[in-house]
Amino acid sequence: MFVFALAVVFKLCSIQFIQGDQYRALAEKHTTKDFPIPANRGNVYSADGSLLATSIPKYDIRIDAIQPKQALFDEQLGALADSLHVFKGKPASYYKDVIRKARKNKNRYFLLARNISYSDYIRMRNFPLLNLGAIKGGLIVEQTTRREHPMGEIAARSIGYERIDENNYATRVGIDGAFGEKYLQGVNGKRLKQKIGNGQWKPIKDYDQIEPKDGYDIYTTIDVNIQDIAHHSLLAQLEKYKADHGCVVVMEVKTGEIKAISNLGRNKNGHYYERLNYAVGESHEPGSTFKLMALTAALEDKVIDTSDVVDTEKGILSFYGNKVKDSKAGGYGKISVSEAFEVSSNTGVVKAIDNAYRNKPSKFIDRLYVMNLNDSLDLPIIGEPSPIIPDPRIKNGRWSGIALQWMAYGYGVSFTPLQTLAFYNAIANDGEMVKPRFLREVKEYDRVVVPFEKEVINPKICSKQTVKKVQQLLKNVVEKSHGTGHKLYSENFSMAGKTGTCQKDYVDKDKLNYISSFAGFFPADNPKYSCIVVIHEPDKSVGYYGADVSGPVFKRIAQKIYTDTPIIDEVKTLNFDNNLVNQDFENYFENARKYKELMPGVVGMPAMDAIALLENLQVNVKVKLNGSGIIRKQSVERHQKLQANQTIVLDAS
């Protein structure tokens, strides 16, 4: 037994002094752990500085119920319970009982408040016992962030989000997702926590070991006014025609800046919302809007001219037993190529392209390639498919004896709405094709970190002579009485564009539907904006032609933009001294200095400034905001003395 006792003592000494550091490190490894502290994600702003997406910090307040010494716990529990009663509303006796029970059960992670705002967090930190911090008072603070879109569902899919699941798999959507990892994300901090059983971890200290670094802010090209116009114009038309889904994109001609992008799909209850980013990610046969590409190629190759005459042959052409038909029974007779485009004659355009390229289809394909129609736009937003153009030299099953003729009026090829718009924008821009652009700059506070400039895809997709001819064709579609877009004509402002009505699911006649589209630019003579509207599966009993379904959306957008932003106005950048913004700040700063316990006048202030002002008064008040934007009404009159915990209701619009 003596020998055995000596062996035990020897082993204890060995563990304590020889292997002690190893075992202590192992124990600490299993009982303490560094947890990441998420950095504040940068904000997403519109071109004029309106907030599109922001991260709101939220806090969970807990208490380690056995950390405070018994005398201190007994002394301050009543005062803590009284404070919680005022803050949350339940009787003070309730809080006394549950906190005593938590101490009795050795609960080191008892929840006091969940998901509270920063102002409420500051308030709770000053409650009795909690104001002593983590070591003496047992305070535990955990911060999370929640991404919010102040504009609601408007452009929500294009603004996007980034979500990372428990397996660290990221889902990235829209602008937020595309630029999140590089600019918005920031650098996470670290906080040491101790395992306290039942899978729970408690912060060891009430501060972070490594503070997180906030992400940069990004300023998009989105114009909130144009975005609002586009969204509601598209929504109204989708509801009228009971369509499945649709999209609209408005782009600035010279710069390629996307001023508005709206994507609305219908749910099973018939309500429309930003379901998918159809403008970027949905490729489909464009139908008659592709006739512009076909004729541009032929005009540039000088194999046809707009004055050439084609025979529509009573509205039906046959190729290997497959028929091309005009929407007008009996066709249009013998007409010029120009008129064939303006009335959107399938037989007229197909006849012209067939005559020009029947024996040399590769020449037609090569011209499309030269105009960059086979290239994707290489957008930062994830999900863009590559265009589809059949090529007789590529053995992939897409080329056939009728491929050339079907391509001429928009079948067998496939593009996204944004890819189609990029070409129309190039025609409006006198042949210079620019890359659609979603960002203006990345900023850290007021410092520009990364500026984004115009990117030119092709400085000259075709000759100036060809551009002028097709520009005139697009004007004629709207201006001439026989044009398919003449219903959109207005004497007050000019537009140019092309209607498109494409069959969808035409292989199965029982599932036959339509895609209605309109693409063009305005004003016609000095284009400032290009626009495309695509609406899928309108109710055939109501209507399905592009001029009827998509055209009115284009006109409504053009009319409202033209009225609100006349062509003589210059597009302003963010790098200028905005007197209105400066005045708002001066008002805010003056009120912040002047009002401490009296109600300030916040009517006319931006909602976020008003909330910040009220939450930083010396009197703790509760602020309830209805709506967003500029404050129009306040429930408490100016100069009235405020009471603790008083609720102030602000109405904004």
Side-chain angles (χ1 to χ4, degrees), residues 384-443:
E384 181 197 10
S386 296
I388 295 174
I389 298 177
D391 189 325
R393 296 159 295 191
I394 300 175
K395 307 302 180 184
N396 55 10
R398 291 198 175 104
W399 188 263
S400 67
I402 60 172
L404 173 66
Q405 294 76 17
W406 259 240
M407 288 171 65
Y409 71 120
Y411 288 90
V413 292
S414 186
F415 302 93
T416 67
L418 200 50
Q419 289 165 354
T420 299
L421 180 61
F423 185 87
Y424 273 76
N425 191 82
I427 297 301
N429 199 25
D430 295 329
E432 184 183 63
M433 181 179 282
V434 294
K435 182 177 178 178
R437 184 156 58 96
F438 292 89
L439 288 197
R440 277 193 170 180
E441 56 193 4
V442 176
K443 298 180 78 173

Side-chain angles (χ1 to χ4, degrees), residues 437-492:
R437 184 156 58 96
F438 292 89
L439 288 197
R440 277 193 170 180
E441 56 193 4
V442 176
K443 298 180 78 173
E444 183 180 34
Y445 304 109
D446 293 330
R447 181 176 69 91
V448 176
V449 178
V450 182
F452 288 84
E453 305 295 340
K454 179 178 79 171
E455 292 185 50
V456 178
I457 297 173
N458 189 335
K460 190 178 180 181
I461 64 169
C462 59
S463 66
K464 187 175 181 180
Q465 183 182 13
T466 299
V467 167
K468 294 303 178 186
K469 286 182 179 180
V470 293
Q471 283 178 345
Q472 189 59 51
L473 291 181
L474 292 169
K475 294 177 189 176
N476 292 346
V477 169
V478 177
E479 293 176 2
K480 290 196 173 182
S481 59
H482 61 251
T484 55
H486 188 64
K487 291 179 181 178
L488 310 178
Y489 176 73
S490 172
E491 294 182 355
N492 299 324

Side-chain angles (χ1 to χ4, degrees), residues 605-636:
M605 291 179 62
M608 296 193 69
D609 287 350
I611 293 173
L613 175 63
L614 294 173
E615 288 187 343
N616 284 283
L617 296 175
Q618 289 185 353
V619 180
N620 290 324
V621 294
K622 297 179 180 179
V623 182
K624 181 180 179 183
L625 176 65
N626 297 324
S628 61
I630 302 300
I631 302 299
R632 303 300 179 194
K633 184 180 179 182
Q634 59 188 65
S635 63
V636 180

Side-chain angles (χ1 to χ4, degrees), residues 198-411:
N198 296 323
Q200 295 179 333
W201 295 78
K202 185 194 80 167
I204 294 177
K205 298 178 181 179
D206 62 351
Y207 59 86
D208 302 330
Q209 273 67 41
I210 300 177
E211 292 294 332
K213 181 182 178 182
D214 293 347
Y216 296 130
D217 296 331
I218 61 176
Y219 285 77
T220 71
T221 60
I222 299 294
D223 184 303
V224 291
N225 293 323
I226 298 177
Q227 180 67 46
D228 187 66
I229 292 167
H231 173 88
H232 288 98
S233 298
L234 177 64
L235 177 60
Q237 203 73 347
L238 289 172
E239 292 175 340
K240 178 180 178 180
Y241 283 89
K242 304 173 186 176
D244 181 73
H245 65 275
C247 67
V248 57
V249 185
V250 180
M251 185 159 70
E252 194 171 68
V253 169
K254 298 297 182 185
T255 64
E257 290 190 354
I258 300 299
K259 311 310 291 184
I261 177 170
S262 184
N263 302 275
L264 296 174
R266 185 176 59 190
N267 63 15
K268 60 182 180 180
N269 298 320
H271 299 299
Y272 293 95
Y273 68 107
E274 289 261 341
R275 190 170 68 185
L276 295 169
N277 198 332
Y278 304 110
V280 170
E282 184 178 46
S283 187
H284 58 84
E285 292 175 312
S288 292
T289 53
F290 187 78
K291 290 174 182 174
L292 176 69
M293 292 77 155
L295 289 188
T296 302
L299 289 168
E300 186 66 9
D301 284 338
K302 293 182 171 55
V303 293
I304 65 168
D305 199 1
T306 55
S307 59
D308 291 348
V309 176
V310 290
D311 187 356
T312 61
E313 297 185 16
K314 297 182 180 180
I316 300 177
L317 298 178
S318 182
F319 298 93
Y320 301 101
N322 296 278
K323 290 181 170 53
V324 177
K325 296 181 180 181
D326 277 329
S327 58
K328 181 184 177 182
Y332 299 91
K334 293 182 179 181
I335 57 175
S336 67
V337 169
S338 174
E339 189 174 347
F341 181 83
E342 291 153 14
V343 300
S344 200
S345 169
N346 296 333
T347 58
V349 174
V350 170
K351 190 74 169 287
I353 298 299
D354 180 60
N355 290 340
Y357 294 104
R358 183 188 308 129
N359 299 321
K360 43 188 175 183
S362 296
K363 183 178 180 180
F364 179 68
I365 304 302
D366 287 339
R367 179 55 63 184
L368 298 180
Y369 289 173
V370 169
M371 297 189 298
N372 299 91
L373 285 168
N374 64 317
D375 300 328
S376 67
L377 297 172
D378 192 26
L379 299 172
I381 293 179
I382 298 167
E384 181 197 10
S386 296
I388 295 174
I389 298 177
D391 189 325
R393 296 159 295 191
I394 300 175
K395 307 302 180 184
N396 55 10
R398 291 198 175 104
W399 188 263
S400 67
I402 60 172
L404 173 66
Q405 294 76 17
W406 259 240
M407 288 171 65
Y409 71 120
Y411 288 90

